[in-house]
Amino acid sequence: MKFIETRGNDGTRATEVSFSEAILGPMSSFGGIYSPESLPDLGTDFLQSHLDKDYKALARDILAAFNVDIDQSDIETALNLYDEFDNSENPAPLVKVKDDLYVSELYHGPTRAFKDMALQPFGVVLSSIAQKRDEEYLILAATSGDTGPAALETFKNRKNVRVACLYPDGGTSDVQRLQMVTEDAENLKVIGIHGDFDDAQSALKLLLSSESFNAKLKEKNISLSAANSVNFGRIIFQLMYHIHSYLELVRQGAIELGDKVYLNVPSGNFGNALGGYYAMRMGLPVEKILIASNQNNVLTHLINEGIYDISDSSVIPTSSPAMDILKSSNVERILFDLFGSERTKELMSDLDTDKRYALIPSELAEIQKVFSADFCTNEEGQEYIKQAFEGGYLMDPHTATCFKTYDTCRDKPLKTIVYSTAEWTKFSPTIANALTGEDGGSDKEALQAIASKANIAIPEMISSLFDKEVTQSTVIDKQDIEKEILAFLD
């Protein structure tokens, strides 16, 4: 399997790279990223053969279908990390909430968010490649709250890698912040910035593409990579759980193999939705992918109107902060797959220059064959959380946005799989407020209140955060990021 550039080739890079090369250097010509040259066709026989196999077997065979150039022993070590999830045989359980609505719970890993599903194995794979090449890597991560803790957790104390993680100060939940700022491994640096997630992500992309920054790293014999979903090493592990959740529906007798379903995805940077899109392209029977946004609803406008416009926008802080994003990096891979590199380069250049682009009607029609979209306000999300709890299900505010698209975006009575991206513990004040109508208080107070009301335990990896020492206290202006990272490397 080869990987090619979403914006075409500039004549100075290889026209195609291997999987390992795309992981180590995720940025491509003209500021683009890498996508697979083709996708494997899995088909019904593949799905049928995995009905009696576990998650690791599915993951192993998908990696084989992509023919990744990773040693099998490293793959096994990476996949064995799923054994440490709550259920070693099923790291992503599927839970029935309504007759035709099922929730794929992706948060049963060490940081209680869906990024563990991809970043736990990804950390092993990247570190093992670096060690085999006898190279040192700086891994950049920008986070709206979930990628950061998961990246820090998977890379801590791993050989040949150091991590600089950027997060918007004040733009995450307190639990998410504590998960980052209490990390004490020497190879980790956590940097709060005055700004929002788009500022952090823009800084990451700028550094990845900066010749001068890369030259400074080269002087230190360090190469540069990223843990964000611009890196296809993240995406390949994300498409797996979409296939797994479909198989779970069949196993539970909710559908017959071959029946179509809706995939319902809360979307910020679009990596989760892209995983569903690739699974669909590889043969998963999907009617449509429903894209749920919060009030930062640029994706809703793109899918419904064909216009991506952030020219007069700023990030709106919401109760689902991991989705407080305006520039969704992985939309680029959708544009590339549907319209090719030349058109993708033109559209992304418009976005960089004018902060907007517009699809022509035929392009919008292609998008709408695959996606439907709506957005959910804070108030609507609170009501969905309350209703679900009264029906016996406890969910976080990001998952709640999908209940809006479940109500508004389906035109057929098909089973719907909602992808739950975070455990209730990550956003407890919002949930406590939804359940009681009162101020949720601090994270610690809200956690205790919800645990008491729902008669459940707070996971130890969350409750212990409040007793840990804060070891990472750096908060800076965004123009000082490069200097801070270089000082960390020294």
Side-chain angles (χ1 to χ4, degrees):
M1 177 71 67
K2 295 297 183 181
F3 289 78
I4 54 179
E5 301 167 290
T6 55
R7 304 186 195 183
N9 185 263
D10 62 7
T12 67
R13 300 171 184 259
T15 55
E16 58 183 31
V17 300
S18 67
F19 177 71
S20 61
E21 290 169 325
I23 285 179
L24 294 176
M27 300 301 290
S28 65
S29 299
F30 307 114
I33 49 184
Y34 286 103
S35 282
E37 186 176 34
S38 61
L39 292 167
D41 184 4
L42 301 184
T44 303
D45 289 346
F46 180 92
L47 297 176
Q48 180 72 52
S49 70
H50 284 83
L51 282 173
D52 59 354
K53 295 180 181 178
D54 63 12
Y55 193 93
K56 288 198 295 183
L58 173 66
R60 188 182 301 117
D61 290 344
I62 290 173
L63 291 171
F66 273 89
N67 195 23
V68 298
D69 58 329
I70 307 298
D71 289 348
Q72 192 60 39
S73 61
D74 293 329
I75 289 174
E76 293 304 317
T77 299
L79 297 182
N80 283 341
L81 290 176
Y82 289 130
D83 293 341
E84 305 302 317
F85 283 49
D86 290 348
N87 182 343
S88 60
E89 295 183 2
N90 186 359
L94 187 75
V95 178
K96 182 178 180 178
V97 176
K98 299 183 180 181
D99 284 344
D100 59 355
L101 187 153
Y102 290 72
V103 176
S104 177
E105 295 182 342
L106 303 175
Y107 53 73
H108 289 276
T111 72
R112 318 314 285 176
F114 80 114
K115 300 295 175 65
D116 290 327
M117 294 296 299
L119 280 169
Q120 279 290 290
F122 175 73
V124 171
V125 169
L126 195 149
S127 176
S128 66
I129 296 172
Q131 290 176 61
K132 285 180 171 62
R133 294 167 67 121
D134 193 26
E135 295 175 347
E136 296 287 331
Y137 276 83
L138 170 66
I139 313 300
L140 296 181
T143 187
S144 54
D146 288 333
T147 290
L152 296 167
E153 178 67 26
T154 192
F155 284 115
K156 68 181 181 184
N157 297 318
R158 292 206 183 276
K159 296 179 180 178
N160 294 66
V161 292
R162 281 175 272 187
V163 179
C165 176
L166 311 175
Y167 74 96
D169 183 45
T172 71
S173 75
D174 200 39
V175 163
Q176 290 172 318
R177 182 187 63 83
L178 286 172
Q179 286 179 315
M180 292 184 282
V181 300
T182 59
E183 286 283 11
D184 59 1
E186 291 186 359
N187 68 326
L188 307 179
K189 178 65 177 180
V190 178
I191 303 172
I193 65 166
H194 300 302
D196 54 39
F197 171 76
D198 282 350
D199 294 321
Q201 181 169 250
S202 295
L204 176 143
K205 287 185 173 182
L206 188 64
L207 290 173
L208 285 171
S209 303
S210 168
E211 292 184 7
S212 63
F213 183 64
N214 277 271
K216 291 173 185 175
L217 294 184
K218 191 172 183 180
E219 292 174 3
K220 304 175 186 294
N221 294 314
I222 297 173
S223 299
L224 188 60
S225 188
N228 281 63
S229 55
V230 294
N231 196 316
F232 196 84
R234 273 268 306 273
I235 301 300
I236 199 169
F237 286 107
Q238 289 187 264
L239 67 87
M240 296 169 179
Y241 54 67
H242 291 283
I243 298 172
H244 168 75
S245 62
Y246 181 91
L247 293 172
E248 281 288 282
L249 270 184
V250 179
R251 293 183 187 115
Q252 294 182 21
I255 61 171
E256 298 289 333
L257 188 66
D259 290 349
K260 287 190 173 183
V261 300
Y262 288 107
L263 307 183
N264 193 343
V265 186
S267 296
N269 219 16
F270 217 71
N272 197 349
L274 177 70
Y277 172 80
Y278 281 145
M280 182 181 183
R281 289 266 283 105
M282 291 160 63
L284 195 68
V286 175
E287 176 67 21
K288 270 193 176 182
I289 301 171
L290 312 183
I291 302 301
S293 296
N294 61 23
Q295 287 156 272
N296 296 287
N297 57 350
V298 288
L299 294 170
T300 310
H301 291 298
L302 174 66
I303 292 165
N304 291 337
E305 303 162 19
I307 298 172
Y308 199 113
D309 190 347
I310 58 174
S311 60
D312 192 30
S313 301
S314 56
V315 171
I316 302 168
T318 73
S319 57
S320 47
M323 297 159 62
D324 291 350
I325 297 169
L326 294 179
K327 296 185 77 171
S328 298
S329 290
N330 282 292
V331 172
E332 179 168 346
R333 287 187 168 112
I334 300 290
L335 299 176
F336 169 72
D337 193 70
L338 291 175
F339 311 131
S341 60
E342 185 176 345
R343 179 59 170 155
T344 301
K345 182 186 175 186
E346 180 182 8
L347 291 170
M348 300 315 294
S349 177
D350 288 346
L351 185 62
D352 290 340
T353 304
D354 303 325
K355 294 191 175 182
R356 74 182 306 276
Y357 62 77
L359 303 179
I360 61 175
S362 61
E363 292 170 338
L364 176 59
E366 289 298 307
I367 291 285
Q368 291 178 342
K369 286 179 183 177
V370 180
F371 301 102
S372 292
D374 202 349
F375 73 97
C376 182
T377 66
N378 287 343
E379 294 73 22
E380 289 171 328
Q382 295 289 81
E383 184 59 31
Y384 282 120
I385 291 171
K386 182 179 180 181
Q387 290 176 5
F389 184 76
E390 291 171 350
Y393 191 73
L394 179 61
M395 65 180 176
D396 89 299
H398 303 77
T399 309
T401 64
C402 292
F403 281 57
K404 174 73 174 290
T405 43
Y406 166 81
D407 281 344
T408 63
C409 290
R410 303 181 313 147
D411 53 15
K412 294 182 180 180
L414 301 175
K415 296 293 189 291
T416 300
I417 302 171
V418 165
Y419 290 89
S420 184
T421 56
E423 188 179 59
W424 63 274
T425 56
K426 304 294 284 285
F427 304 97
S428 53
T430 295
I431 298 168
N433 173 252
L435 300 185
T436 67
E438 300 175 1
D439 184 346
S442 69
D443 279 46
K444 191 172 184 178
E445 293 168 337
L447 284 165
Q448 293 167 343
I450 296 168
S452 176
K453 189 174 183 66
N455 194 28
I456 53 178
I458 304 169
E460 192 276 335
M461 69 274 283
I462 297 295
S463 60
S464 64
L465 287 171
F466 299 94
D467 298 321
K468 288 185 175 181
E469 178 186 358
V470 172
T471 57
Q472 308 263 4
S473 57
T474 301
V475 179
I476 60 174
D477 293 329
K478 55 190 176 184
Q479 63 265 26
D480 296 325
I481 291 172
E482 180 175 335
K483 181 174 68 174
E484 189 68 34
I485 292 174
L486 291 173
F488 160 60
L489 297 177
D490 288 336

